[in-house]
Amino acid sequence: MINREWHLLSRPVGWPKSEDFALVEAEIPTPREGQVLVRNKYLSVDPYMRGRMSAAKSYVAPFELGKVMQGGAVGEVVESKAEGIAVGDHVLHFLGWREYAATDAKNVVKVDPDTAPLSTYLGVLGMTGLTAYAGLLRTASFKEGDSVFVSGAAGAVGSQVGQIAKLKGASRVIGSAGSDEKVKLLVEEYGFDAAFNYKNGPVSEQLRAAAPDGVDVYFDNVGGDHLEAAIGSLNQGGRIAICGMISVYNSTEPVPGPKNLGRLIQTRGRIEGFLVGDHYDLQPEFVAEVGPWVASGALKYRETVVEGIENNLEAFLGQLRGDNTGKMIVKL
């Protein structure tokens, strides 16, 4: 029995290349007392993982060279040496990028495949969903009647931000995406009031056309010209929540900041970054409110599923390119 796992061989400069990684065959680990062995069924790939491939100091330790990488995963327990977790249980944990993982029982969370599909615990009902919920409601202090702009709106986080805002009484929700097909999805399926393809013209001009009365909240997944455009359209007392800046993750030179930050003085605007790890206290509230929306179909979601551990790297690169609609997931 072989355990295939992805190792980081060298730290990428600019866009990651295939030679920076290796799919390695290893022995399936044996769980120690208090541990469980999990056969992973679904793996998550996320933009933040690009930062962990760098040696730069950040909010989370870099991936170690020559060792298996990490990420969200959900799977079935095939051996247990821990009380309270039985063979056959399904669990969520953070030892992805591999087929089998042995970990302490305290590091896993049991999930119910009868309540929701296993893949959703990596997306709409998992860390992705909580990121959207916490960033919009706590960091951006969303309130009923706000006008909301979301960048990367067809992605796993952005699509949920826009829908939660609508369900909570936003006056208008605008999204940006990278294709006309995604723009159509935002309006026709996710219920956004307006959306635009950022490749079709200057973001600032398209945003002003979509939100002629300005925006009260901007949820930023992209950075760059989107952040500058949002500042330009921000209403008095507007709030900007910085979740990610995927447009600059592969830059090899320092990226200039927005040229119009001075406008925040005029608008009394606020910009605040956040990490979902600081908001896990919202998890029960999040599940209680969002779970029924998902079950009833009031909150819709998409997943882009890639088959096979051998395609894990390509799935990761694909979501950096924006190939995915909704959450990018690898099925083993």
Side-chain angles (χ1 to χ4, degrees):
M1 295 289 287
I2 296 298
N3 185 25
R4 291 182 293 173
E5 53 188 39
W6 280 96
H7 288 204
L8 181 66
L9 300 184
S10 57
R11 302 206 180 277
V13 177
W15 273 88
K17 303 180 291 295
S18 59
E19 53 264 36
D20 295 323
F21 308 86
L23 182 59
V24 175
E25 291 187 350
E27 292 184 2
I28 294 178
T30 300
R32 301 189 302 270
E33 195 64 32
Q35 290 191 327
V36 295
L37 177 64
V38 183
R39 179 171 62 84
N40 289 330
K41 291 189 172 183
Y42 293 94
L43 307 177
S44 177
V45 289
D46 302 279
Y48 81 87
M49 294 174 176
R50 177 62 184 88
R52 295 197 67 185
M53 294 171 187
S54 167
K57 186 176 181 180
S58 185
Y59 61 88
V60 63
F63 291 135
E64 295 185 58
L65 293 179
K67 294 188 178 181
V68 61
M69 294 182 290
Q70 301 159 5
V74 65
E76 181 180 358
V77 176
V78 294
E79 185 177 352
S80 176
K81 294 183 178 178
E83 292 185 9
I85 300 179
V87 171
D89 284 346
H90 291 84
V91 296
L92 173 69
H93 61 94
F94 288 92
L95 292 180
W97 289 84
R98 70 199 81 188
E99 292 176 308
Y100 288 84
T103 185
D104 293 344
K106 66 181 180 180
N107 295 331
V108 306
V109 176
K110 285 200 285 188
V111 296
D112 186 355
D114 295 326
T115 300
L118 285 175
S119 59
T120 63
Y121 293 104
L122 295 175
V124 66
L125 292 179
M127 185 175 71
T128 300
L130 181 60
T131 299
Y133 190 85
L136 177 67
L137 302 183
R138 178 175 281 175
T139 305
S141 303
F142 170 85
K143 60 183 183 296
E144 185 177 354
D146 278 343
S147 173
V148 179
F149 171 43
V150 188
S151 59
V157 174
S159 60
Q160 207 157 339
V161 171
Q163 291 183 82
I164 292 172
K166 289 293 292 183
L167 288 164
K168 288 224 170 244
S171 62
R172 188 167 178 79
V173 175
I174 305 100
S176 72
S179 72
D180 293 340
E181 181 182 7
K182 289 180 179 180
V183 167
K184 184 178 180 181
L185 172 71
L186 292 176
V187 175
E188 296 185 359
E189 184 169 332
Y190 292 157
F192 282 57
D193 296 289
F196 60 85
N197 181 345
Y198 66 83
K199 298 176 182 178
N200 288 346
V203 175
S204 58
E205 294 179 9
Q206 294 195 76
L207 178 58
R208 280 195 296 270
D213 296 323
V215 297
D216 302 299
V217 168
Y218 170 48
F219 193 103
D220 189 17
N221 292 304
V222 174
D225 55 354
H226 282 74
L227 178 56
E228 185 167 299
I231 293 171
S233 287
L234 202 65
N235 289 331
Q236 184 167 319
R239 291 87 64 202
I240 296 176
I242 305 293
C243 176
M245 291 192 173
I246 197 169
S247 69
V248 303
Y249 286 166
N250 293 305
S251 299
T252 57
E253 300 292 335
V255 178
K259 297 188 292 289
N260 58 349
L261 281 173
R263 193 169 184 277
L264 294 175
I265 302 170
Q266 172 191 341
T267 62
R268 291 75 151 178
R270 169 169 61 86
I271 299 179
E272 183 177 347
F274 75 99
L275 298 174
V276 67
D278 296 332
H279 302 282
Y280 282 130
D281 61 295
L282 289 177
Q283 181 76 22
E285 175 186 325
F286 159 69
V287 172
E289 185 163 28
V290 176
W293 287 340
V294 174
S296 69
L299 193 153
K300 299 174 175 60
Y301 68 95
R302 291 281 191 97
E303 294 175 341
T304 299
V305 180
V306 174
E307 299 269 353
I309 185 74
E310 64 276 7
N311 295 314
N312 211 94
L313 176 60
E314 180 54 33
F316 168 72
L317 297 175
Q319 51 91 43
L320 288 182
R321 292 190 299 263
D323 295 350
N324 57 302
T325 298
K327 185 77 181 77
M328 180 73 90
I329 291 173
V330 177
K331 181 180 180 181
L332 305 189

